Amino acid sequence: MSTREVENTEERLGKRQKTGSYVIHYWDGVPGRAEYIRLIFEYTGTPYDEVKDNATLMTRVCDPGTVGIPPNLWPPALELPNGKWLGQTGVLVNYLSPKLGLAGYAKDDTDLDEDEKAYLSAKNAQLFFTVLDLFDEVHKVHHVVSSELYYEDQKAEALRAAEPFRAFRLPKYLQHFQSVLETNPANKDGKGPFLLSNLTTAADLALFHNLTGLEFSYPKRLKNLQESGKYELVFKLQERVQNEPKIAEYMKSNRRQQFSFGIFRNFPELDNEE
Amino acid sequence: MSTREVENTEERLGKRQKTGSYVIHYWDGVPGRAEYIRLIFEYTGTPYDEVKDNATLMTRVCDPGTVGIPPNLWPPALELPNGKWLGQTGVLVNYLSPKLGLAGYAKDDTDLDEDEKAYLSAKNAQLFFTVLDLFDEVHKVHHVVSSELYYEDQKAEALRAAEPFRAFRLPKYLQHFQSVLETNPANKDGKGPFLLSNLTTAADLALFHNLTGLEFSYPKRLKNLQESGKYELVFKLQERVQNEPKIAEYMKSNRRQQFSFGIFRNFPELDNEE
C-alpha cells in the first residue's frame, strides 16, 4: 500500500468517524457486487463513504479484530454508522432496503402493520436474490471451471458455457421479470414499471444494474432480445431507473466506476445474437 | 400427474387449510435446497406440510395465479400459514429464523432492542448465505458448463472443476467457519460450538447439512480434511447438531430424504484425497 493510499484511507476513516455514515469496503476499479449497495445509497441520497484498497481488503473485511464476531468471508462488507459490520451482498440489501424506503413501502408508512412490512420486505429480497442469481450466472460463464483460475486458462470451457447462457438462461430470467412486471397491478395504464408495489425498490435498482452490465458484456445478444419485443417492460424499467434524477446524476459522476474486468466483462468471443 | 398424486395433493392441501401450517413446495426425491427449511421446522418442532409433485411443481410455484404477485422463479417456495407465498431459499431462512428463535436470540427475548435483534438476525443470514455459497459451489462442480445440460455431457469440464474445488475452495470455507467458531466467545471452555451467540441458529443447521452432504459427495477429501485437525470445531458442530434429539429423530425418520441425484451427488471420479 503506497503512502498516498494510506493517507487516503486514514482521511476517509477520519471523515467517517465524524459523519457516522455508512462505509462500503470493496475492491477498487470495478462496480462489482458493491454496486447494488451504492445504487441504494445514491437513489435515496444517503451519505456513504468507501474504502477501496485492494492490498488490504481481504484481511480488513475478514479479520475478527476489525469487523467483530463473526467475521465475513468475502467483500463487500458494510460498516454501519454504529461501527458494526455486515457481510454478504444480499444481506446488506435486505438490511438497508426497509430502513431506506426501498422495500415496497415508504419509510414513514403507518398504514401497514409489522407483518405486512416484513412480507413486503421479504418479497423485495426474493426479487433481489433472483437478480443476483442472474449476476452469478454471468460470472460463472467466464469463470466456469473455477474463480481460482484466470479466464485465459478456462476459455475453451467458457466458450461452451456461453451458449446455453445466451440461448436459455438469459431469456429465462428476462421472461421472469417481464412476468413480474406484467402482473403487478401498479403498472396498469403504463405506470412505472415497478417490480413490487408502486415504488422503486432495491430490486428495481439491481435489475437496472444487471441490464446495464449485460449491455456491456453481451451487446449483440441483449440487442437481439430487446428487439424481439418480448421483454418490453423489463427494458422500460431499465430506462425509467436510468432517468431517475439521482441515478442519472450518479451515472455521470466520478463515483460511478466503469465496467472493465469485473463480473460484467466484454469478451466478444462469448457474445452472439443467440 | 396420476390420480393418486392429485388425491395426495388435495389431501395435503386440505390438511393445511385446517391446520394453517407452513407448506414447503419442492422437488420430490432429494433433500435439495428445501432441506435448509425442513431442518428449521424439525429442530424447532414447527408443524409443516410438503407438496412434492415434480409434474406440476414449476407451474405451481411460478404461477402468479397461485403464488400471488410477484411470482417466484424457482423452487423451493414456502406457503405461509396466512396463505401468502415466498420464494428464494435464503429469504425463507431469513424470514423464519427470527420468528422461530434461530437468529441468535430467543423468540421471547426481552433484553435486546429491535436494532440489536435486526443486527443478530442479519449476522445469522450472513453466515447462512456463506453456507449457501459453498452449496452452490458443490452444484457448480458437477453442472459446470450449464444446469441445462446433463452431467454426462459436461463430465470432462467437471473433472477439471473438481480439482480447484477440492484443493482451494472447500478448505477456504472450512477455514472460515473454523475461524467463526474459534472467535465466538460463547464457545470458550468447550461449549457449543455455535456459529453465533450461545444458541443454535439456522446457520448451524445449514452448516451441519452441508457437512453431511459433503461426506456423501466427497468422502475421501472430507475424511482427509477432518484428519488434518485444522477444522476441529467445524466437525464438532456437525456432531453436536446431529445429536440434538429432534435432529437425530428426524434423520432416522422417513421424512428425511436420502442423498441421491440432487446437489450433493457422489461421483467417485470427482473425489480424491486432494
Side-chain angles (χ1 to χ4, degrees):
Chain A
M1 188 159 65
S2 73
T3 312
R4 181 158 171 73
E5 279 170 333
V6 173
E7 282 169 5
N8 274 344
T9 303
E10 283 174 357
E11 208 175 278
R12 284 169 177 280
L13 288 171
K15 189 180 166 204
R16 176 187 57 77
Q17 279 159 4
K18 272 183 279 174
T19 64
S21 63
Y22 291 98
V23 188
I24 299 173
H25 295 258
Y26 197 65
W27 305 111
D28 194 15
V30 292
R33 288 184 166 78
E35 194 64 12
Y36 299 114
I37 314 304
R38 286 187 204 100
L39 286 168
I40 287 176
F41 290 142
E42 293 286 346
Y43 178 79
T44 57
T46 307
Y48 69 104
D49 274 314
E50 296 207 52
V51 179
K52 295 185 263 189
D53 170 7
N54 294 342
T56 65
L57 180 66
M58 289 304 288
T59 44
R60 187 163 18 90
V61 306
C62 304
D63 170 27
T66 309
V67 304
I69 294 161
N72 313 304
L73 182 52
W74 326 109
L78 185 69
E79 213 177 333
L80 307 178
N82 65 10
K84 289 185 178 174
W85 291 64
L86 279 177
Q88 282 285 354
T89 311
V91 173
L92 309 184
V93 169
N94 198 36
Y95 181 84
L96 293 171
S97 297
K99 282 188 195 292
L100 300 176
L102 292 179
Y105 57 92
K107 264 195 300 187
D108 55 0
D109 178 283
T110 51
D111 291 341
L112 300 170
D113 66 29
E114 289 309 308
D115 267 4
E116 289 166 318
K117 288 181 182 178
Y119 182 72
L120 272 175
S121 188
K123 289 308 260 187
N124 172 57
Q126 173 194 305
L127 291 161
F128 174 78
F129 278 105
T130 309
V131 173
L132 199 64
D133 283 346
L134 170 56
F135 180 85
D136 287 339
E137 294 206 24
V138 169
H139 182 230
K140 198 182 139 174
V141 169
H142 57 72
H143 275 73
V144 51
V145 175
S146 178
S147 48
E148 304 280 334
L149 302 172
Y150 290 110
Y151 169 67
E152 290 67 25
D153 297 328
Q154 47 194 319
K155 191 171 163 181
E157 290 90 344
L159 283 166
R160 205 180 157 206
E163 285 182 31
F165 174 75
R166 293 193 310 264
F168 305 116
R169 305 298 290 181
L170 182 50
K172 185 176 283 194
Y173 282 98
L174 295 186
Q175 181 53 51
H176 170 66
F177 292 115
Q178 174 72 16
S179 157
V180 169
L181 293 165
E182 277 173 6
T183 55
N184 183 356
N187 297 337
K188 271 188 191 157
D189 308 323
K191 286 182 194 149
F194 303 98
L195 286 169
L196 180 69
S197 77
N198 60 351
L199 298 169
T200 293
T201 54
D204 287 347
L205 300 176
L207 182 55
F208 154 74
H209 178 61
N210 275 21
L211 291 163
T212 311
L214 286 162
E215 270 178 358
F216 175 78
S217 299
Y218 292 93
K220 285 187 197 167
R221 181 55 173 147
L222 207 70
K223 184 162 184 279
N224 161 281
L225 287 165
Q226 183 162 14
E227 287 173 354
S228 78
K230 290 181 189 169
Y231 317 106
E232 204 185 328
L233 291 176
V234 172
F235 292 101
K236 205 176 153 193
L237 178 142
Q238 181 190 8
E239 199 190 332
R240 177 181 73 73
V241 174
Q242 185 146 7
N243 291 328
E244 293 280 353
K246 282 203 157 44
I247 297 297
E249 188 270 318
Y250 165 63
M251 296 296 279
K252 281 182 247 160
S253 76
N254 61 12
R255 301 190 301 285
R256 166 73 180 190
Q257 291 170 94
Q258 301 306 306
F259 292 118
S260 55
F261 54 91
I263 305 290
F264 288 114
R265 304 191 196 191
N266 177 250
F267 295 115
E269 64 273 23
L270 300 183
D271 189 20
N272 209 337
E273 293 194 357
E274 195 196 300
Chain B
M1 189 158 66
S2 73
T3 311
R4 183 158 167 74
E5 279 169 333
V6 173
E7 282 169 5
N8 274 343
T9 303
E10 283 174 357
E11 209 174 277
R12 283 169 178 280
L13 288 171
K15 190 181 166 200
R16 176 187 58 77
Q17 280 160 2
K18 271 184 282 176
T19 65
S21 63
Y22 292 98
V23 188
I24 298 172
H25 295 258
Y26 198 65
W27 305 111
D28 194 16
V30 293
R33 288 185 165 78
E35 194 64 11
Y36 300 114
I37 314 304
R38 285 186 205 101
L39 285 167
I40 287 176
F41 290 141
E42 292 287 346
Y43 178 79
T44 57
T46 307
Y48 68 105
D49 274 315
E50 296 207 52
V51 179
K52 296 185 262 190
D53 170 7
N54 294 343
T56 64
L57 180 65
M58 289 304 288
T59 43
R60 188 166 13 92
V61 305
C62 303
D63 170 28
T66 309
V67 304
I69 294 161
N72 312 303
L73 182 52
W74 327 108
L78 185 68
E79 212 176 335
L80 308 178
N82 65 10
K84 290 185 178 174
W85 291 64
L86 279 177
Q88 282 283 355
T89 311
V91 173
L92 309 184
V93 170
N94 198 36
Y95 181 84
L96 293 171
S97 297
K99 283 188 194 293
L100 300 176
L102 292 179
Y105 57 92
K107 262 194 302 188
D108 55 1
D109 178 283
T110 51
D111 291 341
L112 300 170
D113 66 28
E114 289 310 309
D115 268 3
E116 290 166 318
K117 287 181 182 178
Y119 183 72
L120 273 175
S121 189
K123 289 308 260 187
N124 171 58
Q126 174 193 306
L127 291 161
F128 174 78
F129 278 106
T130 309
V131 173
L132 199 64
D133 283 345
L134 170 55
F135 180 85
D136 286 339
E137 294 207 24
V138 170
H139 182 229
K140 197 182 139 175
V141 169
H142 58 71
H143 275 73
V144 52
V145 175
S146 178
S147 48
E148 304 280 334
L149 303 172
Y150 290 111
Y151 169 68
E152 290 68 24
D153 297 328
Q154 48 193 318
K155 192 172 163 182
E157 290 91 345
L159 284 167
R160 205 180 156 206
E163 286 182 31
F165 174 74
R166 292 192 312 263
F168 304 116
R169 304 299 290 181
L170 182 51
K172 185 175 282 195
Y173 282 97
L174 294 186
Q175 182 52 51
H176 171 66
F177 292 115
Q178 175 72 16
S179 157
V180 169
L181 293 166
E182 277 174 6
T183 54
N184 183 356
N187 297 336
K188 274 189 188 154
D189 308 323
K191 285 182 194 149
F194 303 98
L195 286 170
L196 179 70
S197 78
N198 60 351
L199 298 170
T200 294
T201 54
D204 287 347
L205 300 176
L207 182 55
F208 154 74
H209 178 62
N210 275 21
L211 291 163
T212 311
L214 286 161
E215 269 176 0
F216 175 79
S217 298
Y218 293 92
K220 286 186 196 168
R221 181 56 174 146
L222 208 69
K223 185 162 184 280
N224 161 279
L225 288 165
Q226 183 161 17
E227 287 174 353
S228 77
K230 291 181 190 169
Y231 317 105
E232 206 184 329
L233 292 176
V234 172
F235 291 101
K236 207 176 151 193
L237 178 142
Q238 181 191 8
E239 199 189 333
R240 177 181 72 73
V241 173
Q242 185 145 8
N243 291 327
E244 293 281 354
K246 283 205 155 46
I247 297 297
E249 188 269 318
Y250 165 63
M251 296 296 279
K252 281 182 247 161
S253 76
N254 62 12
R255 301 188 301 285
R256 166 75 180 188
Q257 291 170 95
Q258 300 306 305
F259 292 118
S260 55
F261 54 90
I263 304 290
F264 288 114
R265 305 191 195 190
N266 178 249
F267 296 115
E269 65 274 20
L270 299 184
D271 189 19
N272 208 338
E273 294 194 356
E274 197 198 296

